[in-house]
Amino acid sequence: MTKSLMILIAGPYRSGTGDDPVLLRRNLTRLEQVAWPIFKAGHLPMIGEWVALPVLESAGVEDLSDPIAGQVMYPAAERLLQRCDAVLRLAGESRGADQDVAIALDRGIPVYYSLDQVPGVALTQTDTIQ
């Protein structure tokens, strides 16, 4: 039995979107696509936006260009990394995801660069990342 890990899924969210809500949603959906195979393997998937976006909403932020967003988005991921056991870095340009990887490596937290590197994950055709 594989030890259960809390795994931060890191990849593009805002990059290349111009903060367009449709493109942001598309990127979040892509991050979320790997949550099921991670959970199915006995781990707890985590995405920084799952924490940051409700915090921003409760602060009344309606647009990611709001200065408060900068006080929440990256700090939320950094705080999560204090509790996560590993990071799964999805492909694509992302300053925030690169920052997550740097923090993880600095703290000695394993970084996986593909879903099949995550312990216990058995991929099926429905688990592909788009």
Side-chain angles (χ1 to χ4, degrees), residues 77-91:
E78 188 170 356
R79 290 178 192 182
L80 281 170
L81 282 166
Q82 294 174 10
R83 290 163 173 76
C84 287
D85 302 301
V87 172
L88 172 59
R89 173 57 163 101
L90 300 183

Side-chain angles (χ1 to χ4, degrees), residues 3-8 44-46 51 75-87 103-104 107 109-110:
K3 177 186 177 242
S4 181
L5 306 171
M6 183 184 299
I7 300 174
L8 181 69
L44 182 62
M46 179 54 63
V51 174
E78 188 170 356
R79 290 178 192 182
L80 281 170
L81 282 166
Q82 294 174 10
R83 290 163 173 76
C84 287
D85 302 301
V87 172
I103 292 168
R107 293 187 178 156
I109 299 170

Side-chain angles (χ1 to χ4, degrees), residues 2-54:
T2 302
K3 177 186 177 242
S4 181
L5 306 171
M6 183 184 299
I7 300 174
L8 181 69
I9 302 166
Y13 176 63
R14 290 182 72 186
S15 299
T17 67
D19 292 337
D20 177 308
V22 172
L23 298 177
L24 291 167
R25 181 68 236 170
R26 182 196 68 200
N27 282 349
L28 185 56
T29 297
R30 182 173 172 264
L31 294 169
E32 291 173 338
Q33 283 179 332
V34 298
W36 173 240
I38 290 171
F39 186 83
K40 201 165 51 171
H43 306 300
L44 182 62
M46 179 54 63
I47 297 173
E49 287 74 16
W50 288 347
V51 174
L53 294 175

Side-chain angles (χ1 to χ4, degrees), residues 55-68:
V55 170
L56 289 173
E57 185 175 329
S58 72
V61 173
E62 296 179 6
D63 186 321
L64 291 176
S65 65
D66 187 305
I68 294 174

